[in-house]
Amino acid sequence: MTKMLSVQNQIVLITGASSGIGAACAKVFANAGAKLILVARRLKRLQELADEVSKNLAADIYLLQLDVRDRTAVESAISSLPPSWSEIDILINNAGLSRGLDKLHEGDFQDWEEMIDTNIKGLLYLTRYVVPGMVKRDRGHVVNIGSIAGHQIYPGGNVYCGTKAAVRAISEGLKQDLLGTPIRVSSVDPGMVETEFSEVRFHGDSDRANKVYQGLKPLTPDDVADVIFFCVTRPSHVNINEVVLMPVDQASTILVNRRN
Ligand code: NDP
Ligand code: 8X3
């Protein structure tokens, strides 16, 4: 039987840890004894998560209030990590969002900028500032959270789908550029996961957001965190390049099974 790699005492940086998939990853990795750097803009939410995790475990957690769109802030946050936190082993580029579901020719410029700046540029900034240390230390794993939206386009998905297609290309490119090093790169690409995602997409319209998951059983953030954990705990010669996971009630971005 394959022996899992341990993440005990590994330093894992998770962006977008204040909610959804990122928060679920924090719990899974803390349970396995990893040291966590949790990144998001909402520090209070990170603090609440850290308190919850620490209730049951002697977890080692470092909180970083950071907007991943701000390149200077990302550079300074990464370069000023205390020495005991600076050698990041696993980077989980999870922070991301969709805004709106408008037709492209009617789209909102601010929504576009926010998606492109977060999902593409934010992910690139973290990667650019963290991976050189991995190369120097000759160890590391980057997990990018893509989406089924990077594989299949749906009406109104236009720019969000474009950002996730970019994440897919960036993951593949990073893997190629790191060939010859032991650093691994994975893209984990879920279908529908019930998180704050749809509420954010519809700018706080929770009725509209709830309808997205109505009558079907979506993935949970824990389902996705499990798959991420699986990717990073494979033996060190195994690279899981890409995982697409969907709820059983979903067959494509537009084909879903609703019971009402
Ligand atoms: P949530 O809205 O629940 O979580 C998004 C997280 O991203 C929050 O912690 C938020 O923190 C963080 N974030 C957003 N913008 C920034 C920013 N500028 N700087 C730092 N952090 C930021 O959604 P999910 O958990 O669902 O989303 C996580 C990832 O999964 C995203 O990349 C999303 O595209 C992807 N995904 C989601 C799917 C779904 O159906 N839910 C399906 C496929 C992929 P804060 O606001 O505190 O900064
Ligand atoms: C989130 C899944 O289908 O809403 O990336 O784009 S979808």
Side-chain angles (χ1 to χ4, degrees):
M1 200 173 135
T2 301
K3 197 171 178 306
M4 274 175 52
L5 272 192
S6 169
V7 297
Q8 181 94 36
N9 293 323
Q10 298 271 295
I11 300 179
V12 184
L13 187 151
I14 306 169
T15 67
S18 61
S19 171
I21 296 167
C25 284
K27 292 177 190 165
V28 167
F29 280 88
N31 259 311
K35 295 172 68 175
L36 304 179
I37 303 176
L38 303 182
V39 174
R41 292 166 299 180
R42 289 170 294 176
L43 184 60
K44 190 163 173 277
R45 291 278 292 261
L46 292 180
Q47 190 59 63
E48 286 163 2
L49 173 65
D51 292 346
E52 189 190 335
V53 169
S54 305
K55 243 187 244 162
N56 309 313
L57 297 162
D60 220 350
I61 300 178
Y62 186 90
L63 305 183
L64 212 48
Q65 182 174 33
L66 181 63
D67 185 331
V68 299
R69 295 171 297 179
D70 183 340
R71 180 159 71 86
T72 312
V74 174
E75 179 180 22
S76 129
I78 299 301
S79 65
S80 54
L81 282 169
S84 60
W85 286 98
S86 63
E87 302 201 338
I88 296 161
D89 297 294
I90 299 165
L91 167 64
I92 304 180
N93 273 318
N94 163 75
L97 78 179
S98 67
R99 285 295 200 189
L101 200 54
D102 301 321
K103 292 179 191 294
L104 186 70
H105 59 286
E106 294 165 357
D108 182 291
F109 290 107
Q110 205 181 318
D111 285 350
W112 294 359
E113 309 285 2
E114 205 176 347
M115 290 187 278
I116 292 167
D117 289 351
T118 311
N119 302 359
I120 306 178
K121 292 164 77 179
L123 176 144
L124 284 170
Y125 298 155
L126 263 298
T127 304
R128 181 65 182 87
Y129 290 122
V130 170
V131 173
M134 292 180 171
V135 171
K136 212 177 289 166
R137 293 185 293 279
D138 235 8
R139 65 168 199 270
H141 196 149
V142 179
V143 182
N144 291 332
I145 309 307
S147 169
I148 183 66
H151 299 255
Q152 300 168 6
I153 316 309
Y154 53 88
N158 45 64
V159 175
Y160 177 70
C161 295
T163 66
K164 291 300 184 178
V167 170
R168 219 178 145 198
I170 289 163
S171 300
E172 199 175 325
L174 181 64
K175 176 73 178 74
Q176 291 175 4
D177 292 342
L178 289 168
L179 188 66
T181 78
I183 297 153
R184 303 189 290 175
V185 183
S186 304
S187 183
V188 173
D189 303 352
M192 296 168 101
V193 192
E194 192 163 10
T195 62
E196 293 173 16
F197 177 85
S198 292
E199 196 152 337
V200 171
R201 163 168 262 173
F202 299 126
H203 296 278
D205 182 343
S206 39
D207 287 342
R208 194 171 174 200
N210 290 336
K211 285 200 183 96
V212 172
Y213 311 107
Q214 213 168 343
L216 59 86
K217 189 171 168 52
L219 296 173
T220 67
D222 289 344
D223 295 327
V224 184
D226 275 352
V227 170
I228 295 167
F229 189 74
F230 176 85
C231 292
V232 305
T233 53
R234 292 313 85 208
S236 58
H237 68 286
V238 178
N239 192 89
I240 306 278
N241 292 39
E242 187 174 273
V243 182
V244 179
L245 68 153
M246 283 194 266
V248 171
D249 279 342
Q250 182 175 25
S252 77
T253 49
I254 51 169
L255 262 180
V256 295
N257 174 45
R258 292 189 202 275
R259 289 175 198 82
N260 58 19

